[in-house]
Amino acid sequence: MKTPRHRREAGAFVAEGTRCVLETLPRYRARCLVATPKWLEANAGLLPAGAPEPLSASADEMRSMSSLQTPQGVLAVYDIPRLPPLTLPAPGELCLALDTVQDPGNLGTIIRVASWFGIRRVFASEETVDLYNPKVVQATMGGLSGVEARYLDLPRFLADASKAGIPVYGTFLDGSDIYRSALTPGGIIVLGNEGNGVSPEVEACCGHRLKIPSFPPDGEAVESLNVGTAAAVVAAEFRRRIL
């Protein structure tokens, strides 16, 4: 299950690492749980009720199964959950949209940010990295279970949302200062590709253009923020406005 095709065909994904496994076990249907004797000795008491009986594996066997450079001694195989029918965001619902985010670590960070700020739905372009890539799952640090991520024709979906009166905010280097802009409690926040930003097709659907200003405004700064960092800053500002 190391490729998206294999994961789709099997209908399953792998989670690795102590924290990730312990946080996902209560929230997903586990097909199996594999751990080294050393890990079980230290952590068996932390397994939630209903967890499958662990299968024992040696450290060498775990290394052969793991996608991590330094395996932590435990992994779980879960069913990929079925998604409910697609709907547009409800009034007041805040969502994220990802336009060809390609780095697994960035996607994992964005999912973790969404979980932290109570953003329950993420809409991703079909070119965005697979949500169940092991590196993505690891980077979410358990945040995966609290967020519904869906792959779709992003320009079409955003166009439909805009026609329905749902605010669509894009993040751009030439946008309006987010700290001085009017923001609604709900809407869709678009985050672009690491190197190319928001594509022209998606940009055409963004009715509001925002930027995160550097400080001081006239000082020297890096060209742009990492997309995961930008997601955290923007989500925090939207949530701050409704506190």
Side-chain angles (χ1 to χ4, degrees):
M1 288 182 290
K2 292 188 176 181
T3 69
R5 181 174 65 84
H6 290 152
R7 287 188 286 273
R8 287 194 299 269
E9 291 176 351
F13 71 98
V14 177
E16 296 191 59
T18 301
R19 180 175 176 182
C20 189
V21 168
L22 291 178
E23 291 194 3
T24 50
L25 272 173
R27 297 177 173 87
Y28 288 96
R29 180 180 176 182
R31 295 187 181 182
C32 66
L33 175 66
V34 184
T36 62
K38 182 179 179 180
W39 189 92
L40 286 171
E41 181 180 357
N43 299 282
L46 300 177
L47 293 174
E53 186 69 23
L55 302 175
S56 181
S58 68
D60 286 341
E61 290 171 329
M62 187 63 71
R63 277 191 290 271
S64 70
M65 291 183 283
S66 177
S67 63
L68 302 178
Q69 288 188 343
T70 307
Q72 296 182 24
V74 63
L75 63 79
V77 179
Y78 297 108
D79 288 338
I80 293 176
R82 293 186 177 182
L83 296 176
L86 175 64
T87 60
L88 292 173
E93 180 185 4
L94 188 64
C95 303
L96 298 181
L98 310 181
D99 185 10
T100 319
V101 171
Q102 296 182 322
D103 182 84
N106 285 338
L107 178 56
T109 298
I110 291 168
I111 296 297
R112 192 175 178 189
V113 165
S115 179
W116 180 262
F117 286 107
I119 298 172
R120 299 306 176 200
R121 292 203 288 170
V122 175
F123 305 108
S125 68
E126 294 166 346
E127 298 78 20
T128 293
V129 63
D130 180 27
L131 175 68
Y132 295 108
N133 179 306
K135 293 181 180 179
V136 175
V137 176
Q138 181 71 15
T140 68
M141 297 297 288
L144 182 67
S145 59
V147 178
E148 173 194 313
R150 185 187 299 267
Y151 292 78
L152 40 64
D153 183 333
L154 191 59
R156 177 178 295 181
F157 178 75
L158 294 177
D160 290 344
S162 183
K163 290 177 183 177
I166 297 167
V168 179
Y169 296 88
T171 49
F172 300 93
L173 293 176
D174 62 351
S176 300
D177 185 336
I178 188 173
Y179 303 117
R180 300 176 183 272
S181 299
L183 305 177
T184 55
I188 302 174
I189 303 167
V190 177
L191 300 160
N193 173 263
E194 290 88 344
N196 300 317
V198 177
S199 65
E201 296 81 7
V202 170
E203 181 177 358
C205 304
C206 298
H208 307 270
R209 301 171 65 90
L210 300 174
K211 74 172 180 182
I212 302 169
S214 59
F215 186 86
D218 56 351
E220 293 186 5
V222 295
E223 183 179 350
S224 63
L225 287 174
N226 169 275
V227 65
T229 301
V233 173
V234 174
E237 181 62 14
F238 269 81
R239 290 312 197 199
R240 186 187 70 83
R241 299 290 184 93
I242 63 174
L243 293 178

